[in-house]
Amino acid sequence: AALRSGAGLVFLGVPEKIYPIVAAGLEEPVVFPLPCDEAGRLTPEALDAASPRLGQADAVLFGPGLGQSDGVRELLRRLLGAARCPVLLDADGINAAAAHIHVLRNRRRPTVVTPHEGEFLRLGGDLSLGREQAALAAARALGCVMVLKGPGTVIAAPDGRIRLNTTGNCGMAKGGSGDILAGMIASLVGQGAEPFDAAACAVWLHGRAGDLCSRELTEYAMTPPDMIGRLPAVFRELRESE
């Protein structure tokens, strides 16, 4: 998803136990192994192993597929302090962040968080305010760009900016769809887009790709990889409308 959204080079750090499998299965990303425990979950030492690439990164995505453990939570705490570029938290990265809210709140660099409603509640969000006001309140409280996923995804910034997305459909509510969105946001941030603009743009593009899938494949039959396959058509639409 990041590469289909224009990223020039993507590094993928994975637990060393699965490195041979992932490296053999993916051609485009540069896959590299990271220290992990016996269960295959990353350990805090992974930050040292990733440091050479982290120092050159334009954006970092942390979370999809990581699982939950004390080691993963400590790794995130160290990453939030060490990274000098924008960090995007998704999936288990959000669950890990719930244990380090103070570190997230005090981070001086841009951070984007992309929770669904369950993850949002774990971060202390208050949905009784309504989705838009809840996302805005959380963005201000945590000092992050907040992407509250769901029907009419809400994108909110700590400075009060807010956007409500109009693309997408129910066929996108399948495992892996959020990972695609996270990769797209990280890609746009890495290309230099301001994090709030990158998040709002990626959410719209993601939903538009889903709408093309729904039209061609139906909401029942479409899958997350199908959305990646429709991204070229979405970008072509935008180019032709200029």
Side-chain angles (χ1 to χ4, degrees), residues 191-208:
Q191 293 173 68
E194 190 270 334
F196 175 79
D197 291 337
C201 182
V203 168
W204 188 92
L205 293 168
H206 181 250
R208 178 57 182 159

Side-chain angles (χ1 to χ4, degrees), residues 1 4-5 184 205-206 209 227-236:
R4 284 289 191 185
S5 302
M184 293 174 67
L205 293 168
H206 181 250
M227 287 186 278
I228 297 177
R230 297 310 185 276
L231 287 175
V234 175
F235 285 110
R236 187 179 302 114

Side-chain angles (χ1 to χ4, degrees), residues 74-155:
E74 176 60 17
L75 174 58
L76 175 62
R77 187 190 70 79
R78 296 185 187 184
L79 173 67
L80 291 174
R84 295 295 176 260
C85 62
V87 172
L88 172 64
L89 300 180
D90 183 52
D92 281 322
I94 297 172
N95 293 325
H100 298 295
I101 291 294
H102 63 290
V103 179
L104 186 61
R105 184 181 296 119
N106 294 330
R107 188 168 190 263
R108 301 303 180 188
R109 306 281 178 168
T111 311
V112 182
V113 186
T114 59
H116 55 59
E117 290 189 355
E119 293 163 340
F120 184 74
L121 293 174
R122 289 180 211 126
L123 290 173
D126 182 4
L127 289 171
S128 70
L129 300 173
R131 284 173 52 84
E132 293 182 44
Q133 290 305 310
L136 185 56
R140 286 171 167 162
L142 298 176
C144 302
V145 173
M146 183 64 58
V147 180
L148 179 55
K149 296 183 292 191
T153 293
V154 181
I155 307 94

